[in-house]
């Protein structure tokens, strides 16, 4: 896949897929919740499985944060499910997202470069 296979603001190298269980989501708020999250810059795909109570997210970890998505979720009266496994996944997702964001601005360097002026001289 390439970056052209995704929405604007989503790069393949920064794309993450997340599944989180939500609580207090009503059928009335479900559609508006998904619609507002879908409009965020950097979201590639979002869907909500009302039977399982899980939200499926695909987004660019550099342009969108899980905290920002959770703010939208709370705006509609819902929240991340309060159990051990969901909180463990949420913490892991935030850790990985921060690493992706940090690595996107990191400038690679190498100590194995030839010093300036040390190149071969042709005679």
């Amino acid at each position: 896949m390439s970056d052209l296979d995704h929405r604007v603001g989503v790069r393949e190298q920064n794309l993450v897929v997340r599944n989180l269980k939500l609580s207090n989501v009503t059928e009335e708020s479900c559609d508006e919740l998904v619609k507002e999250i879908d409009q965020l810059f950097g979201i590639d795909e979002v869907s909500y499985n009302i039977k399982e109570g899980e939200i499926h997210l695909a987004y660019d970890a550099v342009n969108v944060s899980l905290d920002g998505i959770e703010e939208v979720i709370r705006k509609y009266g819902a929240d991340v499910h309060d159990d051990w496994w969901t909180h463990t996944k949420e913490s892991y997702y935030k850790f990985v997202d921060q690493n992706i964001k940090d690595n996107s601005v990191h400038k690679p360097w190498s100590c194995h470069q030839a010093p300036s002026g040390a190149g071969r001289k042709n005679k």
Side-chain angles (χ1 to χ4, degrees):
M1 290 186 113
S2 73
D3 291 338
L4 298 175
D5 296 330
H6 302 286
R7 293 165 103 183
V8 174
V10 179
R11 296 191 65 190
E12 180 74 25
Q13 67 189 23
N14 303 325
L15 183 68
V16 294
V17 176
R18 307 291 187 230
N19 294 300
L20 284 173
K21 195 168 192 167
L22 301 182
S23 57
N24 301 326
V25 178
T26 62
E27 289 188 33
E28 297 83 34
S29 66
C30 178
D31 292 334
E32 285 122 31
L33 171 71
V34 169
K35 190 176 183 180
E36 186 167 340
I37 292 173
D38 196 40
Q39 291 176 354
L40 294 173
F41 181 76
I43 293 286
D44 194 39
E45 182 182 339
V46 61
S47 62
Y48 183 74
N49 183 336
I50 200 139
K51 290 180 182 176
E52 294 181 12
E54 283 191 351
I55 191 165
H56 169 82
L57 301 159
Y59 61 91
D60 186 311
V62 172
N63 293 323
V64 178
S65 71
L66 196 54
D67 289 327
I69 294 169
E70 287 177 2
E71 284 179 26
V72 175
I73 290 169
R74 287 188 195 98
K75 178 179 167 183
Y76 288 93
D79 205 355
V80 175
H81 194 66
D82 190 24
D83 67 344
W84 177 85
W85 181 241
T86 304
H87 285 298
T88 301
K89 286 188 347 182
E90 178 187 20
S91 296
Y92 175 73
Y93 291 163
K94 287 179 181 180
F95 174 78
V96 172
D97 290 359
Q98 187 60 49
N99 279 342
I100 292 170
K101 193 170 191 171
D102 292 345
N103 288 333
S104 72
V105 296
H106 176 71
K107 301 277 189 234
W109 65 276
S110 175
C111 61
H112 300 292
Q113 295 176 355
S116 61
R120 293 173 112 191
K121 293 183 181 177
N122 293 334
K123 291 186 178 185

